[in-house]
């Protein structure tokens, strides 16, 4: 009887979810040929994000400041990209964190926010290790699709970020011309 009770107790303990289950997260890193100050400036200023991330935006690198990344600056408010995102914390040349939403193609999760943390650590005198963590995910349905989307999208962003310091800034002119033409065609 005692062994049966102990066996049932162990089974009950095994079925209880862990109180501190690991949070699902997008975790990526790259090393760029830039100082931490240069890398930080690229993520924390509008002029910086225009070199690798998107053609426009609005950034106020302070707690509760704007962190808007406009993939389509010609779109109406709320559809430009990462509209109405906010800076959560800034540690100059070391870290910036901000809220983030899903793309318009995922409307259920777009109404909510996750958190992105970008950290900058020196690697010698001329390189910086950049880590990106995105947390705050829900489970199931559109959340799973959004998690999968950003697993790929942030890799693309970090790839552009690395290229920015190896090959120079992105020229958004061709993309902006296509976007402008598409927006004009929609108005007709």
């Amino acid at each position: 009887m005692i062994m049966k009770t102990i066996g049932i107790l162990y089974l009950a303990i095994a079925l209880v979810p862990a109180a501190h289950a690991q949070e699902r997260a997008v975790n990526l890193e790259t090393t760029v040929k830039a100082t931490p100050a240069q890398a930080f400036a690229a993520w924390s200023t509008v002029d910086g994000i225009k070199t690798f991330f998107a053609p426009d935006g609005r950034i106020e690198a302070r707690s509760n400041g704007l962190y808007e990344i406009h993939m389509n600056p010609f779109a109406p408010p709320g559809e430009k990209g990462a509209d109405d995102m906010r800076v959560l914390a800034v540690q100059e040349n070391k870290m910036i964190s901000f809220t983030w939403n899903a793309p318009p193609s995922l409307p259920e999760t777009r109404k909510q926010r996750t958190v992105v943390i970008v950290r900058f650590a020196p690697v010698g005198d001329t390189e910086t290790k950049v880590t990106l963590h995105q947390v705050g995910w829900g489970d199931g349905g559109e959340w799973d699709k959004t998690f999968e989307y950003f697993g790929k999208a942030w890799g693309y962003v970090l790839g552009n970020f690395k290229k920015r310091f190896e090959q120079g800034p992105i020229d958004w002119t061709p993309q902006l011309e296509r976007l402008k033409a598409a927006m004009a065609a929609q108005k007709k």
Side-chain angles (χ1 to χ4, degrees):
M1 180 70 171
I2 292 176
M3 291 305 285
K4 186 175 181 182
T5 304
I6 291 172
I8 292 171
L9 181 60
Y10 281 130
L11 179 60
I13 291 170
L15 294 176
V16 174
H20 300 289
Q22 185 172 359
E23 174 75 23
R24 174 161 68 162
V26 172
N27 294 304
L28 298 169
E29 70 178 55
T30 191
T31 300
V32 295
K33 294 179 181 181
T35 65
Q38 292 168 320
F40 176 80
W43 280 87
S44 64
T45 66
V46 172
D47 287 342
I49 60 104
K50 286 180 177 182
T51 66
F52 76 98
F53 203 149
D56 203 7
R58 295 181 351 178
I59 296 176
E60 301 165 348
R62 59 175 171 73
S63 181
N64 205 35
L66 290 173
Y67 198 87
E68 295 186 345
I69 306 297
H70 298 162
M71 282 64 159
N72 183 353
F74 306 114
E79 297 178 24
K80 294 178 184 285
D83 299 89
D84 300 321
M85 298 303 100
R86 294 291 173 170
V87 173
L88 298 172
V90 176
Q91 192 175 14
E92 192 168 341
N93 302 333
K94 293 182 180 182
M95 182 273 301
I96 186 165
S97 63
F98 46 89
T99 59
W100 201 251
N101 62 356
S105 62
L106 297 162
E108 183 182 310
T109 50
R110 184 168 174 81
K111 293 183 256 178
Q112 301 191 53
R113 303 290 183 261
T114 56
V115 174
V116 176
I117 304 158
V118 183
R119 295 189 182 277
F120 312 91
V123 178
D125 294 333
T126 60
E127 293 186 320
T128 300
K129 179 175 144 184
V130 180
T131 58
L132 182 143
H133 307 283
Q134 185 178 18
V135 295
W137 301 97
D139 291 317
E142 209 167 88
W143 278 109
D144 292 344
K145 292 176 186 174
T146 305
F147 181 77
E148 184 178 327
Y149 172 87
F150 281 113
K152 295 173 186 170
W154 286 122
Y156 180 74
V157 171
L158 287 182
N160 281 346
F161 184 62
K162 187 174 181 80
K163 285 182 196 174
R164 181 261 177 264
F165 289 104
E166 293 174 354
Q167 302 170 11
I170 292 177
D171 177 7
W172 297 105
T173 306
Q175 181 177 339
L176 287 169
E177 289 173 2
R178 283 191 303 276
L179 289 169
K180 194 172 189 177
M183 295 303 291
Q186 284 180 356
K187 290 181 181 178
K188 289 182 179 182

